[in-house]
């Protein structure tokens, strides 16, 4: 499609939107309140830009402040503090959105003047789940969403096309269908009644009228904070309309605002372009909807298949368990019957030893035999039996063991295996967080898991050195081989003993039930050229308590304007130069290579940073400075006069300048950097890096400045290291410097 056709289609879409010809069907989901799940009724716009019914906001306030709810409040209902509040009338709602802060019962249900209950007006937004603070004036500070009201009204009319809006003046049974609605009179009229009540030549003839409607909104949107003022500006910070009093002395005094016409034009153009883009991609959207429908069907089918397979697997497990259970119960029953039979036989034998019963009774009867031959014939076998019974009596042993220990099962291992059965599949891979991970000679790597992840058992961090042979590695050892840490049970770990000035790749994987996730995407970090140098800001040497604020940890310093600063400026008669406020590290360097990093807030007016010797620091802190010349600055010579001539090659200090979101590279012929090689000033002004690194090679008498995120060298030069060198910083105007955590960690543990 050509550009002219594109623009023509875009203009056509805008026209259709303005004429209201865009179909209003199938948009009900956009018109549903997220709380009551009904069409919006008098919606209010929350500070987070989500809309909620007026009655739902009131109900949220009541539920959140149930303990302090006043049963006598106008919004309560006797005996039922949780009952839904009826929607207020349109007239009362108009007063509400334009009311002042004196109506405490309207802005915050359940609160009264003089009440000991604290007035809290914080509610959770049902759209974004964030806590919304409505402030002291509560819902009286919220705008009504008239546009959304109008769309809801049009939707209602489209949904009930057969129901006509009747004239409010005609009386039944001659009541006619309305043809117009007057926005000033807030009433609907038929043609005859409209002519009668808006005669030509009277002020009423100038009233604004629209098609038949039941939604009468104000002709002009008024400021909820200044009820007599119209909103005529748009605050780009708070994303809401404001009046001129809000900008002059209200809560938006320091915010950037634009005219309402400009905001209308920009937002309408953006919205129309977005709609044009969506409409132009309608075929693509329909194709994607078809793909999604296919995925839904596949998901349904695959889910049912997974259910059937799971049922089959568990049925097989149940069948196996049932078989083993039946076999075991049968074995137990057989063993029990056998033992019972043996014990019963033994009981019968012992009962026979009782007098006049069994064996003893039979023996007594044999003793009555008087015939010698007959007695001997019977008594011999009987005597043998009696002897056995006597022996059994002396050494009693049960015929069987009543214990069934051989049938006791130890199923703990099987239970553990069943409990450890993994139904969640392979864990999702974690994602390394670049914003919180830091790499020096040690690497602090942090990662995060997906929001809906299942609990994991542990993680494993892997890393490798990219390119080149490490000096610490033995001959034949592969420098690119992955090295793994021990098991990590949290979302971060520290990798120690990394080679300096090297590129390392990191990845991490999660483990759950002995199943490992895929590796996270690899991320690379460049280690600094030297070990990290640990120090804090010194609060003793040259520290200005009037203009510099040092936090308790001494890792952050902030420059603020003060009365002393203004008095110093007042005394300056020529020029406008005010001296820098210097602060240094509490540790010095007298040998070796050392690296440190810090962050400068983008709003900082001017900050100098680098290194300086102890002798130069004494000169700065104790010698008076000439503040009458804006070109005199004896700190580095990297600006002002240094723009005209190159200073000497080696000095006992080197400071770079940054400010207003820019980094300035000094002009000097002695520096072998691409930025300094050009005489064009534009090539020497760089965007401010998020983190800045400094490396001092004391033995080589050289200092390097880096972009700490990419480890790209921005500038380097010689420096006279004749004494002890200190990290040095200078601030002018507003500014803030924060040392990296790795730089301060060792010092803070002392």
């Amino acid at each position: 499609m050509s550009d002219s056709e594109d623009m023509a289609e875009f203009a056509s879409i805008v026209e259709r939107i303005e004429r209201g010809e865009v179909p209003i069907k199938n948009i009900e989901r956009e018109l549903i309140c997220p709380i009551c799940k009904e069409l919006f009724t008098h919606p209010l716009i929350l500070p987070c830009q989500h809309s909620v019914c007026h009655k739902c906001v009131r109900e949220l306030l009541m539920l959140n402040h149930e303990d302090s709810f006043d049963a006598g409040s106008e919004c309560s209902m006797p005996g039922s503090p949780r009952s839904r509040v009826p929607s207020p009338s349109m007239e009362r709602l108009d007063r509400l959105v334009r009311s002042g802060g004196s109506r405490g019962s309207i802005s915050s249900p359940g609160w009264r003047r003089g009440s000991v209950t604290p007035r809290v007006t914080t509610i959770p937004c049902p759209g974004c789940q964030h806590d919304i603070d409505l402030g002291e004036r509560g819902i009286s500070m919220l705008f009504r969403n008239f546009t959304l009201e109008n769309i809801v009204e049009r939707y209602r009319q489209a949904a009930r096309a057969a129901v006509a809006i009747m004239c409010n003046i005609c009386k039944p049974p001659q009541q006619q269908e309305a043809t117009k609605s007057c926005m000033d009179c807030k009433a609907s009229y038929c043609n005859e009644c409209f002519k009668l009540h808006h005669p030509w030549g009277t002020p009423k003839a100038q009233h604004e009228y629209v098609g038949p409607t039941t939604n009468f909104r104000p002709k002009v949107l008024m400021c909820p904070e200044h009820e007599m003022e119209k909103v005529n500006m748009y605050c780009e910070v708070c994303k809401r309309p404001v009046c001129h009093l809000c900008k002059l002395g209200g809560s938006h005094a320091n915010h950037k605002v634009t005219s309402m016409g400009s905001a209308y034009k920009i937002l309408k153009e953006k919205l129309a372009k977005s709609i044009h883009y969506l409409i132009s991609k309608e075929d693509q959207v329909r194709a994607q909807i078809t793909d999604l429908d296919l995925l839904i069907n596949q998901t349904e089918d695959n889910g049912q298949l997974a259910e059937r397979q799971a049922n089959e697997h568990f049925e097989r497990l149940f069948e196996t368990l049932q078989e083993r259970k039946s076999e075991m119960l049968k074995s137990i029953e057989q063993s029990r019957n056998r033992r019972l039979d043996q014990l019963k036989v033994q009981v019968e034998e012992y009962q026979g030893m009782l007098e006049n019963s069994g064996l003893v009774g039979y023996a007594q009867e044999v003793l009555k035999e008087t015939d010698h031959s007959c007695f001997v014939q019977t008594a011999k076998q009987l005597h043998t039996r009696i002897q056995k019974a006597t022996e059994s009596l002396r050494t009693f042993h049960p015929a069987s063991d009543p214990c069934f220990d051989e049938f006791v099962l130890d199923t703990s291992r099987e239970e553990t295996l069943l409990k450890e059965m993994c139904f969640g599949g392979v864990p999702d891979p974690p994602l390394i967080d670049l914003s919180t991970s830091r790499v020096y000679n040690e690497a602090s790597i942090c990662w995060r898991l997906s929001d809906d992840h299942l609990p994991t058992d542990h993680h494993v961090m892997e890393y490798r050195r990219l390119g080149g042979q490490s000096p610490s590695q033995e001959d034949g050892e592969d420098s690119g081989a992955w090295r793994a840490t021990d098991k990590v049970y949290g979302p971060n770990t520290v990798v120690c003993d990394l080679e300096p000035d090297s590129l390392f790749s990191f990845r991490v994987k999660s483990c759950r039930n002995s199943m490992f996730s895929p590796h996270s995407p690899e991320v690379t970090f460049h280690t600094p050229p030297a070990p990290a140098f640990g120090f804090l800001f010194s609060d003793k040497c040259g520290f200005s308590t009037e203009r510099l604020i040092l936090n308790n940890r001494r890792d952050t310093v902030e420059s603020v304007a003060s009365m002393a600063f203004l008095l110093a400026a007042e005394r300056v008669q020529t020029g406008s130069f005010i001296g820098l406020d210097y602060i240094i590290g509490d540790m010095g360097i007298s040998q070796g290579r050392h690296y440190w990093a810090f962050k400068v807030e983008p709003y900082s007016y001017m900050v100098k940073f680098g290194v300086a010797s102890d002798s130069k620091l004494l000169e700065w802190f104790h010698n008076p400075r000439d503040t009458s010349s804006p070109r005199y600055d004896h700190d580095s010579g990297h600006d002002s006069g240094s723009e005209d001539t190159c200073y000497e090659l080696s000095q006992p200090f080197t400071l770079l300048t940054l400010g207003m979101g820019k980094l300035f590279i000094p002009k000097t012929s002695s520096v072998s950097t691409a930025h300094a090689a050009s005489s064009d000033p534009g090539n020497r002004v760089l965007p401010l890096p998020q983190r800045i690194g400094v490396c001092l090679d004391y033995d080589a008498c050289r200092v390097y400045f880096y972009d700490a995120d990419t480890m790209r060298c921005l500038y380097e030069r010689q420096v006279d290291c004749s004494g002890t060198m200190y990290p040095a910083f200078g601030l002018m105007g507003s500014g803030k410097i924060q040392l990296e955590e790795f730089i301060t960690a060792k010092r803070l543990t002392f």
Side-chain angles (χ1 to χ4, degrees):
M1 184 180 292
S2 64
D3 292 343
S4 59
E5 292 175 341
D6 231 5
M7 292 302 297
E9 184 180 347
F10 173 72
S12 172
I13 292 172
V14 173
E15 258 184 62
R16 291 171 58 203
I17 294 172
E18 291 177 343
R19 294 199 305 264
E21 295 179 1
V22 176
I24 201 167
K25 299 177 181 178
N26 303 324
I27 64 170
E28 182 175 355
R29 58 177 296 180
E30 301 295 332
L31 311 180
I32 298 296
C33 173
I35 296 180
C36 63
K37 306 301 181 183
E38 300 173 359
L39 289 176
F40 281 107
T41 305
H42 311 317
L44 300 180
I45 304 177
L46 299 178
C48 59
Q49 303 303 308
H50 291 107
S51 295
V52 181
C53 291
H54 170 263
K55 63 181 183 298
C56 295
V57 177
R58 298 285 299 272
E59 186 171 342
L60 272 180
L61 284 171
M62 286 194 301
L63 294 178
N64 279 7
H65 310 291
E66 187 179 19
D67 294 337
S68 60
F69 183 74
D70 181 7
S73 174
E74 67 167 334
C75 63
S76 65
M77 299 184 67
S80 180
R82 291 183 177 269
S83 300
R84 296 188 63 83
V85 181
S87 177
S89 65
M90 289 295 296
E91 182 181 357
R92 182 163 173 255
L93 189 57
D94 287 335
R95 292 200 309 269
L96 169 68
V97 297
R98 298 174 54 183
S99 63
S102 60
R103 302 180 185 179
S105 62
I106 293 179
S107 61
S108 179
W111 182 83
R112 298 181 299 176
R113 293 187 180 276
S115 173
V116 296
T117 303
R119 183 186 183 188
V120 182
T121 55
T122 300
I123 61 173
C125 173
C128 59
Q129 306 303 320
H130 292 162
D131 287 337
I132 303 300
D133 187 3
L134 300 181
E136 281 296 314
R137 300 184 62 188
I139 59 178
S140 65
M141 286 295 295
L142 301 179
F143 281 105
R144 270 177 66 187
N145 195 337
F146 291 111
T147 301
L148 180 57
E149 275 191 49
N150 195 28
I151 295 174
V152 170
E153 177 62 25
R154 285 161 49 197
Y155 177 81
R156 291 182 189 274
Q157 292 181 9
R160 59 171 190 244
V163 180
I165 298 176
M166 307 306 292
C167 176
N168 298 136
I169 306 301
C170 297
K171 302 297 181 183
Q174 290 84 20
Q175 191 173 19
Q176 301 293 317
E177 183 177 340
T179 58
K180 298 181 180 66
S181 293
C182 179
M183 302 304 292
D184 295 272
C185 302
K186 293 182 172 55
S188 298
Y189 302 89
C190 63
N191 285 331
E192 296 300 325
C193 291
F194 184 81
K195 294 177 182 178
L196 180 64
H197 287 79
H198 297 78
W200 183 260
T202 64
K204 283 192 173 183
Q206 306 300 320
H207 284 187
E208 178 187 358
Y209 62 92
V210 296
T213 182
T214 58
N215 181 29
F216 300 99
R217 70 183 191 184
K219 297 177 64 177
V220 180
L221 192 63
M222 309 299 290
C223 177
E225 186 172 357
H226 308 95
E227 59 184 48
M228 302 304 296
E229 299 295 331
K230 304 175 183 177
V231 293
N232 53 7
M233 290 179 286
Y234 182 76
C235 178
E236 295 188 358
V237 177
C238 302
K239 307 297 182 185
R240 62 175 289 165
V242 295
C243 69
H244 71 283
L245 292 181
C246 294
K247 174 60 180 174
L248 290 178
S251 57
H252 306 269
N254 297 321
H255 295 178
K256 181 180 179 181
V257 298
T258 58
S259 67
M260 191 62 70
S262 175
Y264 169 82
K265 182 178 179 181
I266 293 173
L267 291 175
K268 188 169 186 178
E269 184 177 352
K270 287 182 178 179
L271 182 59
K273 285 184 177 179
S274 300
I275 295 174
H276 167 65
Y277 176 81
L278 291 178
I279 293 177
S280 66
K281 299 294 183 180
E282 185 171 350
D283 292 339
Q284 179 180 344
V285 173
R286 292 185 183 279
Q288 292 174 349
I289 291 175
T290 302
D291 293 340
L292 291 174
D293 289 337
L294 180 61
L295 289 176
I296 291 174
N297 294 332
Q298 291 178 349
T299 302
E300 183 69 26
D301 295 340
N302 292 339
Q304 294 177 356
L305 177 61
E307 287 181 357
R308 290 196 299 271
Q309 291 177 344
N311 281 328
E312 291 174 1
H313 287 305
F314 278 100
E315 287 296 334
R316 284 198 294 269
L317 287 176
F318 294 154
E319 290 174 3
T320 303
L321 287 174
Q322 190 65 37
E323 290 176 1
R324 301 301 297 163
K325 175 184 175 182
S326 300
E327 291 178 5
M328 187 168 187
L329 292 179
K330 183 177 180 180
S331 299
I332 293 174
E333 183 180 6
Q334 291 175 349
S335 177
R336 181 190 61 194
N337 293 336
R338 184 178 65 255
R339 296 181 190 191
L340 289 176
D341 291 341
Q342 292 174 350
L343 290 173
K344 289 178 180 178
V345 170
Q346 190 175 18
V347 168
E348 291 177 356
E349 290 179 355
Y350 275 75
Q351 285 178 343
M353 298 180 191
L354 298 178
E355 185 177 2
N356 299 323
S357 65
L359 181 62
V360 174
Y362 175 66
Q364 289 176 342
E365 291 298 325
V366 171
L367 286 174
K368 295 178 181 179
E369 178 64 44
T370 57
D371 186 280
H372 291 184
S373 59
C374 291
F375 176 80
V376 171
Q377 181 184 10
T378 304
K380 182 59 180 177
Q381 190 268 343
L382 180 60
H383 183 258
T384 301
R385 292 179 60 193
I386 292 294
Q387 282 184 327
K388 289 182 178 180
T390 303
E391 186 66 25
S392 173
L393 188 63
R394 291 173 182 169
T395 59
F396 174 74
H397 291 289
S400 63
D401 189 355
C403 296
F404 286 76
D405 292 341
E406 65 271 26
F407 295 102
V408 175
L409 294 179
D410 180 12
T411 60
S412 57
R413 186 173 65 88
E414 288 76 10
E415 290 177 5
T416 302
L417 291 175
L418 288 173
K419 291 178 180 179
E420 290 181 351
M421 287 180 65
C422 180
F423 301 110
V426 178
D428 294 331
L431 185 65
I432 295 179
D433 190 348
L434 297 177
S435 62
T436 56
S437 299
R438 294 289 182 267
V439 173
Y440 292 89
N441 50 310
E442 295 180 350
S444 175
I445 306 298
C446 306
W447 57 86
R448 60 179 183 270
L449 303 174
S450 59
D451 295 335
D452 57 348
H453 75 282
L454 297 173
T456 57
D457 298 334
H458 63 271
H459 310 277
V460 176
M461 167 63 64
E462 298 179 354
Y463 63 100
R464 64 176 176 177
R465 185 171 181 265
L466 301 177
Q469 178 74 21
S470 170
S472 62
Q473 289 175 324
E474 300 177 359
D475 294 339
E477 184 178 350
D478 185 7
S479 63
W482 288 100
R483 289 173 275 178
T485 64
D486 295 333
K487 294 180 180 180
V488 181
Y489 296 95
N492 56 77
T493 187
V494 175
V495 181
C496 302
D497 302 326
L498 297 179
E499 293 83 356
D501 199 15
S502 301
L503 191 64
F504 281 88
S505 181
F506 297 86
R507 66 186 187 186
V508 64
K509 60 182 178 180
S510 302
C511 178
R512 180 174 62 239
N513 299 330
S514 301
M515 299 182 67
F516 282 93
S517 71
H519 288 97
S520 66
E522 294 182 27
V523 298
T524 57
F525 290 98
H526 200 293
T527 56
F533 178 62
F535 68 91
L536 301 173
F537 287 119
S538 174
D539 57 355
K540 298 180 175 60
C541 184
F543 172 65
S544 172
T545 57
E546 294 180 345
R547 294 184 294 275
L548 296 182
I549 298 177
L550 194 60
N551 67 346
N552 294 333
R553 292 164 54 95
R554 292 195 290 124
D555 61 351
T556 301
V557 62
E558 185 173 6
S559 174
V560 295
S562 62
M563 185 59 67
F565 188 85
L566 295 177
L567 292 175
E570 195 274 337
R571 289 194 295 270
V572 176
Q573 301 301 323
T574 59
S576 58
F577 183 81
I578 303 298
L580 288 163
D581 292 306
Y582 286 100
I583 189 169
I584 64 173
D586 61 353
M587 299 290 290
I589 299 173
S590 57
Q591 62 178 357
R593 287 168 59 92
H594 302 276
Y595 174 87
W596 60 93
F598 55 92
K599 177 183 178 182
V600 177
E601 292 296 333
Y603 68 79
S604 302
Y605 177 70
M606 189 175 82
V607 174
K608 288 182 176 289
F609 61 95
V611 295
S613 66
D614 48 2
S615 59
K616 193 64 179 179
L617 292 172
L618 289 175
E619 177 186 339
W620 289 347
F621 293 145
H622 298 290
N623 290 352
R625 287 174 282 181
D626 179 11
T627 61
S628 63
S629 172
R631 292 179 61 80
Y632 175 73
D633 183 7
H634 51 263
D635 56 354
S636 68
H638 289 193
D639 50 12
S640 302
S642 66
E643 298 290 342
D644 305 325
T645 59
C646 299
Y647 51 87
E648 56 183 309
L649 292 180
S650 182
Q651 298 188 66
F653 66 96
T654 293
L655 298 176
L656 287 193
T657 303
L658 61 82
M660 306 302 290
K662 303 293 183 182
L663 176 66
F664 302 93
I665 301 298
K667 177 183 178 182
T668 172
S669 60
S670 64
V671 182
S672 58
T673 62
H675 297 289
S678 173
S679 60
D680 183 7
N683 292 336
R684 295 188 289 107
V685 179
L686 305 178
L688 175 65
Q690 291 187 354
R691 298 163 53 237
I692 300 171
V694 180
C695 178
L696 175 64
D697 190 337
Y698 188 93
D699 300 329
C701 297
R702 202 158 188 84
V703 63
Y704 306 83
F705 298 87
Y706 293 89
D707 180 338
D709 286 327
T710 62
M711 290 311 300
R712 180 170 66 98
C713 184
L714 305 175
Y715 178 72
E716 61 176 287
R717 67 162 278 112
Q718 287 183 333
V719 62
D720 182 9
C721 297
S722 56
T724 302
M725 307 297 290
Y726 289 86
F729 305 87
L731 299 94
M732 177 186 293
S734 62
K736 185 177 180 181
I737 304 173
Q738 182 174 359
L739 299 177
E740 286 283 319
E741 184 178 356
F742 261 72
I743 305 304
T744 62
K746 295 181 180 179
R747 299 284 295 126
L748 289 173
T749 56
F750 291 163

